[in-house]
Amino acid sequence: MTHDKALVTEKLRKWEGFLQEYELPAWDMLPGIELYMDQVIALLTQYLNFLPREDGADNVTTPAMINNYVKMKVLPPPVKKRYSRVHLAYLIMVCMLKQTLGIAPVQRILPCSAPEAQVHAVYDAFVRTHKAVAATFTAQVRAAAAPVLLSDEPDDSAVGELILQAAIAASLFKLLAEKLIALGEIPPEIGVEAPEVNKL
């Protein structure tokens, strides 16, 4: 496989810059008013604009997917077809987690139909943990990508090695998460304190 070295370098630098600046919206930044489905989808697409779209779609999720999450009890049902801050928080977490986990493990992590205060605590922990892990991840990618970023003319083997490292790390972390989830019940206060993340 051959790569456009300038394009790879540009993408790596943009990704690093994006991760350094990006933060999930805090609980208080989520609208405190009830929203209709199209407003929810527009906000999710705005908040999670870096996530891949399915089949070239314009949005990160669809009404059908949200309805399925409600049917599967991943998400509490809307009230009179309107969605609250609690729904947005659930959907942000679900959209992020389903990039690596299936819906069944996500259901075990998230406290569906929990009181708003508990959802608030879990969401706050999710946002803090995302920020901490993103910072560590950025540093690790910078180190792993050094042969590509620091070379005037990186060869395809350096880019290929970076792709392999990313793919293997993703698969190992996915396995670790699934094994830990399978061990038992996830406590409702999961991650209320952001972890100290030194190494992934």
Side-chain angles (χ1 to χ4, degrees):
M1 179 185 296
T2 59
H3 300 89
D4 181 325
K5 315 305 187 298
L7 181 61
V8 169
T9 301
E10 178 189 355
K11 291 290 182 188
L12 284 169
R13 293 197 189 284
K14 279 186 175 178
W15 182 237
E16 178 180 358
F18 172 79
L19 285 176
Q20 287 174 337
E21 296 295 323
Y22 178 77
E23 290 186 24
L24 290 169
W27 177 267
D28 291 337
M29 291 176 62
L30 301 176
I33 59 172
E34 294 183 336
L35 305 169
Y36 289 108
M37 177 75 81
D38 58 338
Q39 295 170 307
V40 169
I41 290 173
L43 279 172
L44 287 172
T45 300
Q46 175 188 327
Y47 295 149
L48 304 174
N49 63 357
F50 63 94
L51 293 182
R53 312 297 198 260
E54 292 188 14
D55 300 323
D58 292 332
N59 300 307
V60 297
T61 192
T62 65
M65 290 168 75
I66 292 174
N67 289 331
N68 282 339
Y69 297 151
V70 172
K71 286 178 191 171
M72 297 165 65
K73 299 188 189 300
V74 178
L75 183 70
V79 177
K80 296 181 181 176
K81 298 187 178 181
R82 292 191 181 189
Y83 297 83
S84 68
R85 179 182 284 159
V86 166
H87 292 99
L88 273 174
Y90 272 116
L91 285 165
I92 288 168
M93 293 186 288
V94 169
C95 287
M96 292 286 293
L97 292 171
K98 76 172 192 152
Q99 300 303 309
T100 50
L101 297 174
I103 288 299
V106 170
Q107 284 177 299
R108 295 194 63 194
I109 292 173
L110 300 181
C112 186
S113 300
E116 182 172 330
Q118 185 180 345
V119 177
H120 184 172
V122 171
Y123 181 75
D124 282 350
F126 188 91
V127 170
R128 286 192 307 271
T129 303
H130 181 273
K131 185 174 182 176
V133 172
T136 300
F137 173 77
T138 301
Q140 290 182 331
V141 170
R142 188 183 307 119
V148 176
L149 294 173
L150 300 179
S151 171
D152 291 336
E153 283 297 322
D155 60 20
D156 282 321
S157 65
V159 177
E161 177 71 18
L162 181 58
I163 292 169
L164 281 177
Q165 285 184 50
I168 291 167
S171 66
L172 290 174
F173 277 118
K174 179 179 185 291
L175 286 170
L176 174 62
E178 288 172 343
K179 288 180 182 298
L180 292 174
I181 291 166
L183 289 177
E185 290 299 313
I186 303 295
E189 64 279 358
I190 180 173
V192 169
E193 293 297 323
E196 289 294 323
V197 182
N198 297 319
K199 292 184 179 178
L200 291 180

